[in-house]
Amino acid sequence: MNTADLGLPVEVPSTALFTDQYELTMLRAALKAGTAERRSVFEVFTRRLPEGRRYGVVAGTGRVLDAVENFRFDAGVLGFLRERQIVDEETLEWLAGYRFSGDIWGYPEGEVYFPGSPVMRVEGTFAECVLLETVILSILNHDSAIAAAASRMSSAAGSRPLIEMGARRTHELAAVAASRAAYLGGFASTSDLAAGFRYGIPTVGTSAHAFTLLHDRERDAFRAQVDSLGQGTTLLVDTYDVAEAVRMAVEVAGPELGAVRIDSGDLLLVAHRVRQQLDELGATGTKIVVTSDLDEYAIASLAAAPVDAYGVGTQLVTGSGHPTCSMVYKLVARAESADPGAPLVPVAKKSTGGKTSIGGRKWAARRLDADGVAEAEVVGTGPTPADLVDRQLLVELVKGGEVVAREPLDVVRDRHTAARANLPLSATQLSRGEPVLPTEYVHGDSGN
C-alpha cells in the first residue's frame, strides 16, 4: 500500500484469505458456468439498527480501501489453496492475476446511516466483487459498531474528553481498529500505542495500581511518578484510602498537580468528595478523571458530577452491548450476459423471516426540513428526484480499481460531528426508541 500521502508507517499485509471458503467455491462454479464475468452490483446495508439505537455510524471505510488494495493471491496463498484442494487449477490461475478493477461507492466515512441505507456499493464482474464480501463486512460491521458506541458516549460526555483504553479487553489487532473507530466517534485519545503509531491518534497513559503496590509507601510511588513525569501528571488515588491519597498527592506534587484518577467505588459520590477536598487543599486546577467499566449510561449519570474526563474500555470495544451492526452484502443487480454492454437487471432474495431485500442499483439522499434538520433517509432506484440531487450521500471511493477518496482521520472525525449535529435532537437520547429518521423508498428503473 502506498501510505506516503497520509504518512501511515505500517504496511497492510495481503488480505486475500480474510474471506470465507464459499466465496472461492462460488467463483470456481461461476468460472465453469461462464457467468463469472457478468457485470454485477453488490450493496452493503443493514435491515435494522441494534435495539434502542437511533442512528448508525459508518466507520472502517478507510480500512476497507486498504483491504481492497491488498487483496492479492501471492505464491504462499495460492500454495495453501492448492494443497487443501479448495479450488481447481483453472481457478488458481485466475486468482493469481486478481486485481479488483471495478468501482466502489459509499457513504463517506463518519456519516450516519439508517435501516436500508446502501452504506457501500461494489460494482464490477461477479467474480471480482464476490471475493470481497467477507473482508468488507468484517471491517464495516466491527468498526461501525464501535463508532456508534463511541458516538453515543461522546454525546453523553458533552465537552468532557474521552480516553479509549480497551486494548486489554479485545483481540490485539481489533484493539487498533477499535481505537480508530472510537476516535472517529468523538474520543479524544487512546492508551493503545499501536493505534497512535498507525493512525496518529493522540496517546495518553500514566500508571496503574501495580505501580503503587510496587513501592513500600503510596507516597514513594507518587514521588517517583512526579519526579519522572512532572507535576502535570495524573495520580491514581484509589489503591488504598482515597481521601488520604488525595491529600498526599497534593502534598507531593503541589497544587499544580495535573489530575487524579478514580477507578472504583461510587464514582458520583467519590468525585464530589474529591473535588471538595482538592479545592480545600488549593488544587483548584487539578482535574478528576474517572474510569471503571463506564458506558454511555454511566457517563450520562455523571453529567452533574465534577468530572473532567472519562476513560472507557470494555464497553467501548464491545460496542456497548452491540458488537456488530448486522450489515449484509447482497447482489442487487447483474447483467443478463457476460457482454460488457449487457443491461443490468435487478435481483433480490425472496424470503420469509425478515430477510427480504430490495433489488436494483440504489442511490440515497437525506431530505431536510424547512429548518435544515434531517427528516428522512430516501433510498431509491432509477433517476434521483430533482429536489434531492444536491442531497445525495454516496461518493465515489474506488474508480476502475484505483482508490480515489482516501482521507485523513481528522477529516472523518469532523464529518461525523457535523452529521450527528444535523440530526433531530432526539438522536442523542439514550432512552430506547426507533431510528431517528424514517427510511423512504422511491422505485424507478433500476437497470443501467
Side-chain angles (χ1 to χ4, degrees):
M1 179 183 68
N2 180 7
T3 60
D5 290 344
L6 299 183
L8 300 181
V10 181
E11 295 287 330
V12 176
S14 170
T15 52
L17 291 184
F18 292 166
T19 191
D20 291 304
Q21 182 166 321
Y22 80 166
E23 315 291 6
L24 298 184
T25 56
M26 284 191 287
L27 168 65
R28 176 180 179 175
L31 288 170
K32 187 174 181 64
T35 53
E37 296 304 313
R38 286 189 176 186
R39 189 161 60 105
S40 300
V41 180
F42 287 82
E43 289 176 351
V44 177
F45 62 94
T46 186
R47 296 183 177 93
R48 63 191 65 85
L49 297 180
E51 184 180 357
R53 295 289 170 89
R54 304 297 181 93
Y55 61 92
V57 181
V58 179
T61 307
R63 298 206 309 118
V64 167
L65 299 181
D66 291 343
V68 171
E69 279 191 331
N70 290 277
F71 206 91
R72 304 281 188 269
F73 292 83
D74 58 26
V77 170
L78 293 170
F80 165 78
L81 297 175
R82 180 178 288 109
E83 178 186 350
R84 297 291 183 94
Q85 298 183 348
I86 291 172
V87 292
D88 57 13
E89 287 299 322
E90 178 187 0
T91 306
L92 287 170
E93 182 178 349
W94 189 92
L95 291 173
Y98 179 86
R99 301 289 185 274
F100 180 73
S101 63
D103 302 328
I104 299 179
W105 291 72
Y107 279 38
E109 191 167 17
E111 184 57 86
V112 296
Y113 71 87
F114 299 91
S117 297
V119 170
M120 186 167 286
R121 190 175 71 219
V122 182
E123 305 182 31
T125 66
F126 176 84
E128 64 181 341
C129 294
V130 74
L131 294 182
L132 299 177
E133 174 181 6
T134 302
V135 70
I136 287 177
L137 287 179
S138 68
I139 292 172
L140 292 181
N141 268 314
H142 173 269
D143 290 23
S144 297
I146 306 303
S151 179
R152 284 161 61 85
M153 292 174 187
S154 67
S155 178
S159 61
R160 298 171 178 176
L162 292 158
I163 306 163
E164 186 281 310
M165 46 195 305
R168 64 191 61 192
R169 295 292 188 257
T170 188
H171 184 280
E172 67 272 17
L173 297 182
V176 182
S179 292
R180 181 185 184 279
Y183 188 67
L184 182 162
F187 274 57
S189 57
T190 180
S191 66
D192 193 318
L193 291 178
F197 179 60
R198 175 156 183 79
Y199 296 115
I201 301 169
T203 59
V204 296
T206 51
S207 66
H209 294 289
F211 185 74
T212 302
L213 296 171
L214 168 68
H215 293 80
D216 297 333
R217 301 183 304 165
E218 191 170 35
R219 176 185 296 275
D220 296 338
F222 288 173
R223 170 54 61 194
Q225 185 173 327
V226 171
D227 287 348
S228 175
L229 301 178
Q231 292 175 297
T233 191
T234 299
L235 295 177
L236 181 60
V237 295
D238 70 328
T239 305
Y240 304 118
D241 180 85
V242 172
E244 176 60 18
V246 170
R247 183 195 64 77
M248 195 182 308
V250 176
E251 188 174 291
V252 170
E256 294 77 25
L257 172 64
V260 295
R261 178 163 75 94
I262 306 167
D263 188 49
S264 59
D266 184 335
L267 297 179
L268 180 61
L269 175 63
V270 175
H272 278 286
R273 288 177 174 175
V274 169
R275 181 73 269 159
Q276 180 179 354
Q277 186 180 7
L278 287 170
D279 291 346
E280 290 173 351
L281 292 169
T284 56
T286 299
K287 298 183 182 302
I288 298 175
V289 180
V290 295
T291 54
S292 186
D293 292 327
L294 299 176
D295 60 10
E296 60 265 49
Y297 301 102
I299 292 168
S301 74
L302 292 168
V307 171
D308 298 287
Y310 306 93
V312 189
T314 302
Q315 292 300 321
L316 175 71
V317 299
T318 56
S320 195
H322 298 288
T324 182
C325 302
S326 300
M327 291 181 182
V328 294
Y329 184 95
K330 295 298 181 182
L331 181 67
V332 296
R334 52 86 176 167
E336 295 176 329
S337 71
D339 183 339
L344 289 174
V345 295
V347 294
K349 174 183 178 181
K350 298 189 185 307
S351 174
T352 58
K355 284 196 170 185
T356 58
S357 57
I358 298 173
R361 181 178 185 270
K362 298 175 194 67
W363 50 264
R366 189 161 298 147
R367 191 171 67 238
L368 307 181
D369 65 16
D371 296 319
V373 178
E375 66 175 8
E377 193 87 339
V378 186
V379 177
T381 58
T384 308
D387 62 324
L388 294 176
V389 168
D390 293 335
R391 301 298 309 166
Q392 293 190 83
L393 291 164
L394 277 76
V395 298
E396 194 166 29
L397 303 171
V398 176
K399 182 176 183 178
E402 297 294 325
V403 173
V404 296
R406 187 172 276 115
E407 299 177 302
L409 189 54
D410 282 330
V411 170
V412 173
R413 188 171 188 262
D414 291 344
R415 176 181 294 124
H416 175 64
T417 300
R420 188 177 65 190
N422 196 46
L423 295 175
L425 288 176
S426 58
T428 57
Q429 290 180 338
L430 295 181
S431 58
R432 296 186 180 278
E434 296 300 314
V436 72
L437 296 187
T439 303
E440 300 177 359
Y441 292 96
V442 177
H443 297 287
D445 177 13
S446 53
N448 185 22

